Amino acid sequence: MARIDLVDLAHSYGGNDAAPESFALKPVTMTWRQGGAYALLGPSGCGKTTLLNLISGIVTPSRGKILFDGADITPLSTQKRNIAQVFQFPVIYDTMTVGQNLAFPLRNRGVPKAEIDARVRQIADLLDLTPHLDRKATRLTADAKQKISLGRGLVRSDVAAILFDEPLTVIDPELKWQLRSKLKALHRDLDLTMIYVTHDQTEALTFADTVVVMHDGRVVQSGTPAELFDKPAHTFVGYFIGSPGMNIVPAEVRGREARISGHPIALSRSYAALPSGAKIEVGVRPEFVDIAAPASGLLSATIERIDDLGRVRFARVRIGDAKFNARVPPGFSIPGETAGLIFDPSHVHVYADSLLVEGMA
Ligand code: ATP
């Protein structure tokens, strides 16, 4: 297992001279720690696969370096990088048995037979493949075949990292949940560095210790699921993570006060000097705004609809032209078409040109 450092890494499929904004991966410097469970999360086209392929060596970067445990491996081929990869669709040999498929990456590297047998048994047990070890892979379902692909990725203990590119796409939803939990347990048992690409926030948040969020070719935040929820570093993270996502509305901010549509909202931190000319917005998650009966002192909103999600209800409201989601407190009955909004100041964040501004205590 290795620590992976990306140093000023960037890539353009149009070549190094392409306009900086057109790069599929804009310059990024970051560290993936040894033994970490990472998810690379973002919408289609944001550059996840490009970054994964740069790490594995399938794509050579236009700029920058990749280090494994401090050594520059940028010019090395995929084989020399010692990376295991699991793709969206099963990559297995139909003519071999399940056991032979699992053993293949080890046999290929001349691992002694006793060691291969022990490792294959361990991985088969972890993935519930033991009853199928002697069966030909060809007769298995798509789910089982993808489990074998996962097993082939996990079977080597000497790899620098295992990269998963949306590996559960073909898996049935119920089994998807089980396999995700299993992968997390495997990560704990096997002490592997894992990077898991997905556009599904539930998949990312349940699998990873650290979620790396990408938007438009940039890594916009890397943090624990709680950090991404509590303190989105970019408005995109606020909006993309959470269901419904964070409310983001234009505001004027001075000192410890934000004004939304001219109405004052208290902030828990002070904002002295915001960058001049920047687009200033406040962001607050629906979980931290309650609707209440209209009252002077409360920001007034027009109720559009109520979404009952079982354990919690959210009101979809409008503040002027801006759409906004707020929590409906338990037992609260909706007063009519208009409501007041109560903000929790400690969860109201300020953004300048989409980037979080820290403020002073
Ligand atoms: P998806 O989830 O749809 O796979 P992604 O987040 O993995 O998306 P990438 O596949 O890395 O995104 O694509 C990032 C950008 O690079 C996109 O604009 C895409 O069109 C472009 N791109 C990807 N591969 C190539 C290629 N081989 N040649 C040219 N452009 C490419």
Side-chain angles (χ1 to χ4, degrees), residues 13 24 42-51 165-166 197 199:
Y13 291 97
S44 181
C46 72
K48 305 180 295 292
T49 301
T50 300
L51 179 48
D165 196 351
E166 311 242 10
V197 163
H199 61 268

Side-chain angles (χ1 to χ4, degrees), residues 25-279:
L25 179 73
K26 274 91 177 175
V28 58
T29 295
M30 65 181 293
T31 295
W32 310 71
R33 70 180 184 284
Q34 173 171 333
Y38 290 91
L40 195 50
L41 173 69
S44 181
C46 72
K48 305 180 295 292
T49 301
T50 300
L51 179 48
L52 205 69
N53 288 345
L54 288 168
I55 294 174
S56 68
I58 292 176
V59 173
T60 307
S62 307
R63 296 184 195 167
K65 285 193 289 194
I66 304 171
L67 314 180
F68 285 3
D69 285 336
D72 185 357
I73 53 85
T74 324
L76 297 189
S77 66
T78 303
Q79 285 81 355
K80 296 230 168 84
R81 289 184 190 197
N82 210 12
I83 288 270
Q85 273 187 284
V86 181
F87 299 94
Q88 265 188 12
F89 299 102
V91 180
I92 59 166
Y93 298 103
D94 275 347
T95 50
M96 293 185 186
T97 65
V98 173
Q100 286 163 343
N101 264 288
L102 292 178
F104 190 79
L106 301 178
R107 276 222 319 273
N108 235 0
R109 281 166 187 81
V111 175
K113 187 170 179 321
E115 212 176 295
I116 296 179
D117 288 347
R119 188 70 174 180
V120 166
R121 266 200 309 277
Q122 181 191 13
I123 297 296
D125 266 357
L126 290 167
L127 286 169
D128 300 327
L129 285 171
T130 307
H132 306 299
L133 274 177
D134 296 326
R135 283 181 64 177
K136 279 272 190 315
T138 185
R139 299 213 199 93
L140 298 173
T141 61
D143 288 352
K145 285 185 179 175
Q146 186 63 346
K147 274 203 211 177
I148 302 171
S149 279
L150 287 169
R152 283 164 50 106
L154 294 162
V155 78
R156 287 173 55 202
S157 54
D158 63 335
V159 287
I162 306 184
L163 312 181
F164 300 92
D165 196 351
E166 311 242 10
L168 304 184
T169 308
V170 294
I171 305 282
D172 156 274
E174 171 59 26
L175 190 64
K176 216 179 227 185
W177 184 264
Q178 287 174 22
L179 274 181
R180 206 162 47 225
S181 314
K182 198 140 263 188
L183 272 181
K184 196 161 173 90
L186 284 165
H187 173 258
R188 277 192 298 266
D189 289 355
L190 303 176
D191 185 31
L192 300 168
T193 307
M194 294 187 175
I195 304 178
Y196 185 109
V197 163
T198 177
H199 61 268
D200 178 330
Q201 59 164 308
T202 312
E203 230 164 73
L205 299 174
T206 51
F207 167 74
D209 307 328
T210 304
V211 180
V212 178
V213 183
M214 289 191 73
H215 171 52
D216 193 20
R218 282 198 172 80
V219 171
V220 286
Q221 188 167 9
S222 169
T224 63
E227 284 164 352
L228 299 182
F229 186 81
D230 290 340
K231 218 170 158 192
H234 191 285
T235 49
F236 176 78
V237 178
Y239 153 83
F240 193 67
I241 290 185
S243 184
M246 185 183 233
N247 297 296
I248 296 150
V249 286
E252 291 161 36
V253 172
R254 194 161 298 152
R256 286 182 181 273
E257 189 179 275
R259 285 187 169 262
I260 301 174
S261 296
H263 184 93
I265 302 292
L267 301 171
S268 64
R269 296 173 78 79
S270 176
Y271 297 83
L274 291 171
S276 71
K279 181 174 70 169

